[in-house]
Amino acid sequence: MAPKQGEEAIVVGHNETSADQQLMGKDHADEEGGGPPPGGGGALKNLLWHGGSVYDAWFSCASNQVAQVLLTLPYSFSQLGMVSGIVFQLFYGIMGSWTAYLISVLYVEYRSRKEKENVSFKNHVIQWFEVLDGLLGPYWKALGLAFNCTFLLFGSVIQLIGCASNIYYVSDHLDKRTWTYIFGACCATTVFIPSFHNYRIWSFLGLGMTTYTAWYITIAALVDGQVAGVVHSGPKKLVLYFTGATNILYTFGGHAVTVEIMHAMWKPQKFKYIYLLATLYVFTLTLPSAAAMYWAFGDQLLNHSNAFSLLPKTGFRDAAVILMLIHQFITFGFACTPLYFVWEKVIGMHDAKSICLRALARLPVVIPIWFLAIIFPFFGPINSAVGALLVSFTVYIIPALAHMLTYRSASARQNAAEKPPFFLPSWAGMYALNVFVVAWVFVVGFGFGGWASVTNFVKQIDSFGLFAKCYQCAKPPAAPAPLPHPH
């Protein structure tokens, strides 16, 4: 069945890429050749637009891994306490890097098997659910498609909510719901970006913006010092503890677009350790900023899921807000692009030659995201709920299970396209580590984390209601009572 599925995928793929050739100017033949598109008159366009090197992949992974969640990690530290916050970041960062490695191995295995059958991928963008389909069958395809698409949908919702929340701290003339309307329209312009090849300059700029924001938060918290009467009582409640832990699980589970990033590379086999290297850099941003904010503000963060809300209004802060807004636009595009691909394939529009026609076909993907952001405007609790219910399966449990099942037979292990890594050179060791990942994430991430995050999410709905006009906005001071008229 697998060869037949692969051939059918390529029939679709050949129809799809005629549009990609028109939009990107080059097809995957350039990438298969192992180098960038040739220079010439479009040298500047190639430099800014056509990304496929290991450096492009690193920038994409690092930029995509931490965006709005950078502003919610201090909130997680207030729920977990300083020690647990640091430990969970390191733990989930390494675990996330491991499962990203597994995804890259499965991609290479799938592609290798199909190319041995003379299946060409020059004109086809491989996605994660197709890898699962080719290696494990249609039921796994359905599982991967459902979890991945739902996670990316809510990931986009979180970025849109974050845009409205952040801009409010620069200009509060409009409420957050109105800002959500505005930024929904702005983010909808990502329908014009053809694929991950075209995020080269955006990934580079996005990581620079995140770096500035992280170090601004760190320095501002340290320079201003601790607020009067600061209290560090975390961890205080199990619900809050596991909510914070699942938010960090979400932070380092940003590799739902790993396959698409790999496929955009000229040599995907070089991806293996890129996510780990990106995570190590991200640690330099997340650990200092979250620790400094928690040190400075303590339990005040329990009621402020956005770090900007506690920092004084200065030019530096406003610059950080603006840069984060631009980066969130980029991250919105990262999360939506795989959804655009899936939707185009479903409606048969992926072979359209006109970029405007494809953009128009993609718009129905943005509309439900826009609507959900207006219904649930509290991104801190959403981060935790998405982490527990979706990320736990999408980027931790499913890749580990898929790897074990793909290589369950001796012949599969003997003929594997990628052997076990140098730091864990036995298949038994890989199986043991995968079993640990599945058990830990299922019990702690999905079980306890799901209970805590859903409880907290429902509490937010009860407190603020659906369609909240201005979630966690400062309440205006009460109007003074009118003076009595003299007789």
Side-chain angles (χ1 to χ4, degrees), residues 75-335:
Y75 168 68
S76 298
F77 268 51
S78 69
Q79 297 168 320
L80 290 165
M82 185 73 79
V83 175
S84 291
I86 294 172
V87 169
F88 270 115
Q89 276 205 43
L90 295 173
F91 177 67
Y92 282 133
I94 299 301
M95 185 183 289
S97 299
W98 171 251
T99 54
Y101 169 80
L102 297 180
I103 292 173
S104 71
V105 167
L106 293 173
Y107 169 89
V108 172
E109 181 67 33
Y110 169 77
R111 186 161 180 168
S112 174
R113 291 185 186 184
K114 295 307 176 187
E115 288 176 349
K116 287 178 182 177
E117 300 167 6
N118 295 321
V119 175
S120 171
F121 287 105
K122 286 182 180 179
N123 299 329
H124 185 70
V125 178
I126 301 173
Q127 293 187 266
W128 173 230
F129 67 90
E130 294 169 320
V131 173
L132 292 173
D133 185 25
L135 296 177
L136 297 173
Y139 292 109
W140 280 85
K141 172 186 176 180
L143 191 67
L145 189 61
F147 274 104
N148 222 42
C149 288
T150 309
F151 165 49
L152 292 171
L153 177 75
F154 279 97
S156 303
V157 169
I158 289 167
Q159 299 309 317
L160 190 50
I161 296 170
C163 285
S165 177
N166 291 341
I167 193 63
Y168 184 78
Y169 298 116
V170 174
S171 175
D172 58 3
H173 299 298
L174 299 175
D175 58 77
K176 292 182 182 180
R177 188 169 64 194
T178 303
W179 280 120
T180 304
Y181 293 138
I182 295 170
F183 279 99
C186 294
C187 288
T189 60
T190 57
V191 298
F192 290 99
I193 301 177
S195 76
F196 282 95
H197 285 283
N198 313 117
Y199 275 97
R200 164 174 279 186
I201 187 64
W202 295 113
S203 297
F204 176 78
L205 292 175
L207 189 58
M209 295 166 185
T210 308
T211 301
Y212 171 88
T213 302
W215 284 107
Y216 156 72
I217 291 173
T218 305
I219 293 170
L222 294 176
V223 169
D224 292 340
Q226 292 182 314
V227 296
V230 64
V231 177
H232 300 88
S233 61
K236 188 162 58 174
K237 296 180 180 178
L238 279 178
V239 170
L240 295 179
Y241 188 83
F242 286 108
T243 300
T246 48
N247 185 39
I248 296 178
L249 179 82
Y250 170 84
T251 302
F252 295 99
H255 42 290
V257 295
T258 297
V259 171
E260 287 84 357
I261 292 174
M262 283 187 70
H263 192 77
M265 293 177 68
W266 299 315
K267 294 184 178 180
Q269 294 82 357
K270 293 187 175 182
F271 183 87
K272 289 186 292 186
Y273 304 117
I274 286 177
Y275 195 88
L276 174 61
L277 296 175
T279 299
L280 295 177
Y281 179 78
V282 167
F283 280 152
T284 69
L285 307 180
T286 58
L287 287 169
S289 59
M293 282 293 294
Y294 182 56
W295 170 81
F297 295 98
D299 286 0
Q300 285 190 27
L301 286 160
L302 288 170
N303 297 314
H304 296 82
S305 55
N306 190 323
F308 283 144
S309 64
L310 290 174
L311 294 171
K313 182 176 175 58
T314 64
F316 291 110
R317 194 199 72 167
D318 289 352
V321 171
I322 299 301
L323 292 177
M324 183 57 72
L325 285 172
I326 299 171
H327 184 247
Q328 284 170 303
F329 165 83
I330 298 167
T331 308
F332 183 94
F334 264 108

Side-chain angles (χ1 to χ4, degrees), residues 366-415:
V366 179
I367 293 172
I369 294 171
W370 204 349
F371 188 62
L372 287 169
I374 295 167
I375 297 177
F376 306 112
F378 15 90
F379 64 82
I382 288 181
N383 280 357
S384 299
V386 169
L389 304 179
L390 297 173
V391 175
S392 57
F393 284 94
T394 303
V395 296
Y396 292 97
I397 294 175
I398 291 178
L401 286 175
H403 188 273
M404 289 190 288
L405 291 174
T406 298
Y407 297 108
R408 62 188 179 275
S409 68
S411 61
R413 294 192 294 272
Q414 184 177 356
N415 299 316

Side-chain angles (χ1 to χ4, degrees), residues 11 43 53 59 74-75 88 147 180 315 336 346 382 408 412 463 475:
V11 170
S53 68
F59 275 113
Y75 168 68
F88 270 115
F147 274 104
T180 304
C336 268
V346 168
I382 288 181
R408 62 188 179 275
S463 301
K475 294 181 180 179

